[in-house]
Amino acid sequence: MGQVRIYEDAAELSHAAAGKIAQRIVAGVGVGGRFSLALSGGRTPIATYQALAAGPWVGPDRWRSVAIYFADERAVPPDHPESNYNMVRTTLIDPAGIPARNVHRIGAEDPDLEEVVREYAATLPTMLDLIVLGIGEDGHTASIFPGSPLAREAVARVAAVRDSPKPPLRRVTITPRVFRDAREIMVLASGAAKAEAVARALEGTTDPDQIPARLVREREWLLDRAAARLVKDPDAPRTI
Ligand code: 6PG
């Protein structure tokens, strides 16, 4: 069943999201366990990742038991300002001291995207413990954009995107199959510009082809008040 939590502003949202991710890691790692965490890029989660790295919750021992994956990647080198890996490295991986061997980036700068897709599909665990997603103003999530056949992909777990409406054109993304199999998913959205997409993802009858974030409407959504502005009934059960 989906859950929507609303926070006063982006700062509160980031702090709460960091605490929740940390909680899941602490519970998941337990004694001697491992935790698989797939992260999104974009601007929204930056403060969350920084808070997660700076917070006292996880600690170096537990970070050693966390494997980092990516929900999507843009076809740029890993040190590029638009690289999702670069953003996660500078906000979380380096400050938290997560060992390089635990980080499974998508090598989407390789011109042979099909090979990248094959490799990443072989790297991803069958069931991720937690995926952190964002939502675009157009309702995309990961790199599944409105109108893309990927919104109905039920077999492949990783796919190449060659016509992204959000630059760069070429990307690699996990698919709805990975969403379906994940233990938990957290969607973060802040700001008034996201309000319409958020409401269309959570309510009404729009097809997930048009608003791909609707694929995860039954999961946990963390919103600030501005992004939640058009959600009529935040407490409604969200079973499709
Ligand atoms: C990407 C993302 C993407 C992101 C949304 C929201 O690589 O572009 O992973 O799915 O989560 O576009 O991005 P913002 O947080 O920047 O609005």
Side-chain angles (χ1 to χ4, degrees):
M1 200 75 79
Q3 265 185 337
V4 179
R5 297 179 196 281
I6 301 174
Y7 301 92
E8 212 42 56
D9 54 25
E12 251 191 44
L13 164 69
S14 306
H15 190 76
K20 280 175 179 293
I21 296 169
Q23 240 174 33
R24 303 310 202 284
I25 293 173
V26 170
V29 168
V31 183
R34 299 200 53 84
F35 191 88
S36 52
L37 174 63
L39 298 172
S40 288
R43 299 176 52 81
T44 311
I46 290 177
T48 297
Y49 301 161
Q50 287 168 333
L52 186 56
W57 309 291
V58 181
D61 278 356
R62 286 202 195 89
W63 278 122
R64 274 194 282 280
S65 303
V66 178
I68 304 287
Y69 297 88
F70 290 81
D72 65 340
E73 185 57 278
R74 304 141 180 208
V76 294
D79 56 355
H80 191 279
E82 289 295 312
S83 155
N84 287 343
Y85 164 76
N86 195 35
M87 185 276 271
V88 174
R89 183 183 62 74
T90 52
T91 55
L92 176 64
I93 296 168
D94 287 355
I98 302 173
R101 64 175 179 280
N102 292 21
V103 180
H104 305 279
R105 79 174 188 92
I106 306 176
E109 72 279 13
D110 185 331
D112 186 354
L113 283 190
E114 287 316 319
E115 181 54 26
V116 177
V117 163
R118 267 194 298 279
E119 270 177 26
Y120 212 64
T123 305
L124 266 186
T126 313
M127 184 180 63
L128 287 158
D129 289 312
L130 175 62
I131 307 177
V132 178
L133 292 176
I135 175 172
E137 290 171 31
D138 60 357
H140 77 263
T141 193
S143 283
I144 308 173
F145 290 90
S148 162
L150 287 181
R152 292 177 187 270
E153 180 58 63
V155 180
R157 305 171 70 230
V158 181
V161 175
R162 295 186 172 78
D163 55 356
S164 163
K166 178 181 176 184
L169 277 181
R170 289 161 56 86
R171 293 157 170 256
V172 171
T173 187
I174 59 172
T175 71
R177 160 109 191 260
V178 178
F179 298 163
R180 192 194 63 199
D181 294 342
R183 198 187 294 276
E184 289 191 275
I185 296 183
M186 229 177 251
V187 187
L188 312 183
S190 78
K194 302 285 174 74
E196 192 181 334
V198 166
R200 291 183 72 200
L202 292 174
E203 297 180 334
T205 55
T206 316
D207 204 294
D209 286 353
Q210 296 315 310
I211 301 285
R214 201 171 166 80
L215 290 161
V216 290
R217 71 191 283 239
E218 293 182 74
R219 303 298 193 130
E220 187 174 8
W221 287 64
L222 275 59
L223 309 173
D224 70 1
R225 209 164 274 293
R229 191 172 56 89
L230 301 175
V231 178
K232 288 192 202 73
D233 185 1
D235 299 321
R238 297 187 190 283
T239 306
I240 296 175

